CSV table of all heavy atoms in Angstrom, one decimal:
chain,number,residue,atom,x,y,z
A,12,ILE,N,-23.4,142.3,136.3
A,12,ILE,CA,-24.4,142.3,135.2
A,12,ILE,C,-25.8,142.8,135.8
A,12,ILE,O,-26.5,143.5,135.1
A,12,ILE,CB,-24.6,140.8,134.7
A,12,ILE,CG1,-23.3,140.4,133.9
A,12,ILE,CG2,-25.8,140.7,133.7
A,12,ILE,CD1,-23.3,139.0,133.5
A,18,VAL,N,-29.5,149.7,136.3
A,18,VAL,CA,-29.3,151.0,135.8
A,18,VAL,C,-29.9,151.2,134.5
A,18,VAL,O,-30.5,152.3,134.2
A,18,VAL,CB,-27.8,151.3,135.7
A,18,VAL,CG1,-27.5,152.7,135.1
A,18,VAL,CG2,-27.1,151.3,137.1
A,59,LEU,N,-29.3,146.3,122.9
A,59,LEU,CA,-28.3,145.4,122.2
A,59,LEU,C,-26.9,145.7,122.8
A,59,LEU,O,-26.1,144.7,123.0
A,59,LEU,CB,-28.3,145.8,120.7
A,59,LEU,CG,-27.4,144.9,119.8
A,59,LEU,CD1,-27.8,143.4,119.9
A,59,LEU,CD2,-27.4,145.4,118.4
A,82,PHE,N,-5.8,131.6,142.3
A,82,PHE,CA,-4.6,132.4,142.6
A,82,PHE,C,-4.8,133.2,143.9
A,82,PHE,O,-3.8,133.3,144.6
A,82,PHE,CB,-4.4,133.4,141.5
A,82,PHE,CG,-3.9,132.8,140.2
A,82,PHE,CD1,-4.7,132.9,139.0
A,82,PHE,CD2,-2.7,132.1,140.1
A,82,PHE,CE1,-4.2,132.3,137.8
A,82,PHE,CE2,-2.3,131.5,138.9
A,82,PHE,CZ,-3.0,131.6,137.8
A,89,GLY,N,-12.4,140.5,145.3
A,89,GLY,CA,-11.9,141.9,145.4
A,89,GLY,C,-10.9,142.2,144.3
A,89,GLY,O,-10.9,143.2,143.7
A,130,PHE,N,-9.2,140.1,128.2
A,130,PHE,CA,-7.7,140.0,128.0
A,130,PHE,C,-7.0,139.4,129.2
A,130,PHE,O,-6.0,138.8,129.0
A,130,PHE,CB,-7.2,141.4,127.6
A,130,PHE,CG,-7.2,141.7,126.1
A,130,PHE,CD1,-8.4,141.9,125.5
A,130,PHE,CD2,-6.1,141.7,125.4
A,130,PHE,CE1,-8.5,142.1,124.1
A,130,PHE,CE2,-6.1,141.9,124.0
A,130,PHE,CZ,-7.3,142.1,123.4
A,134,LEU,N,-4.7,136.2,128.7
A,134,LEU,CA,-3.3,136.1,129.2
A,134,LEU,C,-3.1,134.9,130.0
A,134,LEU,O,-2.0,134.2,129.9
A,134,LEU,CB,-3.0,137.4,130.0
A,134,LEU,CG,-1.6,137.5,130.5
A,134,LEU,CD1,-0.6,137.6,129.3
A,134,LEU,CD2,-1.4,138.7,131.4
A,135,ILE,N,-4.1,134.5,130.8
A,135,ILE,CA,-4.0,133.3,131.7
A,135,ILE,C,-4.2,132.0,130.9
A,135,ILE,O,-3.6,131.0,131.2
A,135,ILE,CB,-4.9,133.4,132.9
A,135,ILE,CG1,-4.6,134.6,133.8
A,135,ILE,CG2,-5.0,132.1,133.7
A,135,ILE,CD1,-5.6,134.9,134.9
A,136,SER,N,-5.1,132.1,129.9
A,136,SER,CA,-5.4,130.9,129.1
A,136,SER,C,-5.3,131.2,127.6
A,136,SER,O,-6.4,131.2,126.9
A,136,SER,CB,-6.8,130.4,129.5
A,136,SER,OG,-7.1,129.2,128.9
A,161,ALA,N,-5.7,144.8,116.5
A,161,ALA,CA,-5.5,145.4,115.1
A,161,ALA,C,-6.8,146.1,114.6
A,161,ALA,O,-6.7,147.2,114.1
A,161,ALA,CB,-5.1,144.2,114.2
A,179,HIS,N,-11.8,150.4,124.4
A,179,HIS,CA,-11.5,149.0,124.2
A,179,HIS,C,-10.0,148.8,124.4
A,179,HIS,O,-9.6,147.9,125.1
A,179,HIS,CB,-11.9,148.5,122.9
A,179,HIS,CG,-13.4,148.5,122.7
A,179,HIS,ND1,-14.1,148.2,121.5
A,179,HIS,CD2,-14.4,148.7,123.6
A,179,HIS,CE1,-15.4,148.3,121.7
A,179,HIS,NE2,-15.6,148.5,123.0
A,192,ILE,N,0.9,142.1,136.9
A,192,ILE,CA,1.3,142.6,138.3
A,192,ILE,C,0.7,141.7,139.4
A,192,ILE,O,1.4,141.3,140.3
A,192,ILE,CB,1.0,144.1,138.5
A,192,ILE,CG1,1.7,144.9,137.5
A,192,ILE,CG2,1.2,144.5,139.9
A,192,ILE,CD1,1.3,146.4,137.5
Side-chain angles (χ1 to χ4, degrees):
I12 294 174
V18 173
L59 184 62
F82 290 119
F130 270 69
L134 185 62
I135 294 173
S136 186
H179 292 173
I192 294 173

